[in-house]
Amino acid sequence: MTVDGEVRLLGGEADEPGWEVDPDDEWGVAVITTVGRQLKLRREAVGMRAAEFAVAVGYGEDLVYKVEGGKRIPRQEYLDKADEVLGAGGLVAAAWEDVKRVRYPKRVRELGKLEGRAVEIALYECHIIPGLLQTPEHARAVIGAAQPPYSPDDVERMVAARLARQSVFERSPAPALSFVLEEGVLRRPIGGRMMWRQQLERLLEVGRLHNVVLQAMPMDCDSHSGLDGRIELLKFPDGTAVGRSDGAFNGRPVHELKHLRILELRYGTIRAQALSPRESLAFIEQLLGET
């Protein structure tokens, strides 16, 4: 395909959903504005007009203006090609490390930062497999099932953000992680049987890590302290903590010690009511054998 053909094909990407800059995301706006300004300065320094640059990188002129104006998030391929055309020696391409984070929703970035600092993470989930434990395929199926549906590009953006949070498993020293999942969640084959087998295998893999405690809440439990919904607790090296519960404090994050004690009490009781970690892994192995 000719370069002109690529321009005609890719020019519509200037209006493709999912790559807009969120005006309420101050950090994201600053990053994309700075990258756009640097691209424009480098283009002008080599004496290229926007139209010439568009042809050289294989994208539409309208997209060039939007990227340089800080209105669009450039793709990695765009930055790589721009680096090559402008002879930037890798400096433009390196901007992708910051740019890619702008694509993650602000609230997900903030959650990822908290999880990245936490020395303890505890989570009771009653409706889905927690994002920290999802395989890419399962995450895509869960996000793709939303109504009204997200665009394919938005789905991929959200999947990437969810998977990026899983870097918590690669930290050293490793944080202490605790998960309690409902039996109904473990039995629901989201995405189909083959995809579900992969998800159950992932749970077994994570559940056997030395810093992870994974438990299942059985359906036949006659006492359940988690009926109000999801609970999450994060504790940090300086002794501070943050927690949230669907059924307490209007679902907002809380930092006050008296509120955190309530969430800790509820979470501790839920863990006591659930199967033991060993029984839980055996139960997941049983489910895997049934799929």
Side-chain angles (χ1 to χ4, degrees):
M1 180 180 292
T2 65
V3 171
D4 287 342
E6 290 179 353
V7 170
R8 286 194 295 271
L9 176 64
L10 299 176
E13 289 187 353
D15 299 314
E16 183 181 351
W19 292 82
E20 304 90 349
V21 182
D22 182 354
D24 296 325
D25 184 356
E26 295 180 2
W27 178 81
V29 170
V31 168
I32 301 306
T33 299
T34 300
V35 170
R37 183 182 300 119
Q38 289 299 315
L39 283 168
K40 182 178 181 180
L41 290 173
R42 286 180 178 276
R43 173 178 63 77
E44 292 176 341
V46 299
M48 294 186 74
R49 293 183 292 107
E52 295 172 330
F53 180 72
V55 172
V57 296
Y59 285 80
E61 184 178 354
D62 186 39
L63 180 61
V64 171
Y65 282 122
K66 288 188 175 182
V67 169
E68 292 183 352
K71 304 299 183 184
R72 296 289 295 181
I73 302 171
R75 294 173 178 270
Q76 184 175 15
E77 310 88 79
Y78 183 99
L79 294 175
D80 289 344
K81 188 64 177 178
D83 191 282
E84 177 185 337
V85 170
L86 298 173
L91 294 178
V92 169
W96 176 247
E97 289 304 310
D98 286 325
V99 169
K100 69 181 180 182
R101 295 185 179 92
V102 180
R103 290 217 67 212
Y104 304 158
K106 182 179 179 180
R107 61 181 178 79
V108 176
R109 287 205 315 270
E110 293 173 345
L111 176 58
K113 288 179 181 179
L114 290 175
E115 292 171 342
R117 290 197 301 113
V119 294
E120 294 183 37
I121 298 175
L123 178 61
Y124 162 66
E125 183 60 77
C126 50
H127 297 303
I128 63 171
I129 299 294
L132 288 176
L133 301 178
Q134 292 178 6
T135 65
E137 295 77 14
H138 181 72
R140 193 169 289 110
V142 169
I143 295 170
Q147 291 296 330
Y150 296 107
S151 71
D153 194 73
D154 279 344
V155 170
E156 292 307 313
R157 177 181 181 182
M158 297 171 73
V159 169
R162 186 163 297 182
L163 298 180
R165 290 171 48 214
Q166 296 181 6
S167 62
V168 69
F169 291 105
E170 302 168 5
R171 281 174 46 197
S172 180
L177 304 172
S178 171
F179 302 93
V180 181
L181 312 181
E182 286 290 338
E183 177 182 339
V185 169
L186 295 171
R187 288 187 177 278
R188 186 173 297 117
I190 300 294
R193 295 291 174 179
M194 184 58 66
M195 188 180 297
W196 192 239
R197 284 187 60 86
Q198 295 172 350
Q199 180 59 67
L200 292 177
E201 289 169 351
R202 172 61 177 167
L203 293 179
L204 290 174
E205 176 187 357
V206 173
R208 293 179 179 129
L209 295 176
H210 75 282
N211 62 313
V212 175
V213 175
L214 182 64
Q215 294 177 257
M217 177 67 78
M219 294 287 289
D220 61 359
C221 180
D222 59 8
S223 180
H224 194 331
S225 298
L227 298 180
D228 279 345
R230 187 175 190 266
I231 297 175
E232 57 183 331
L233 290 162
L234 285 77
K235 298 183 179 181
F236 307 106
D238 62 359
T240 60
V242 62
R244 191 182 72 82
S245 171
D246 289 344
F249 318 117
N250 297 317
R252 71 181 190 279
V254 295
H255 304 267
E256 299 88 345
L257 185 58
K258 63 180 180 179
H259 293 159
L260 290 169
R261 283 175 175 166
I262 292 173
L263 298 186
E264 289 176 344
L265 174 61
R266 291 185 182 181
Y267 186 75
T269 305
I270 290 170
R271 286 195 60 186
Q273 294 166 339
L275 299 177
S276 71
R278 178 175 295 183
E279 292 170 331
S280 297
L281 292 181
F283 177 65
I284 295 173
E285 289 178 339
Q286 175 188 330
L287 293 178
L288 185 59
E290 294 173 359
T291 58

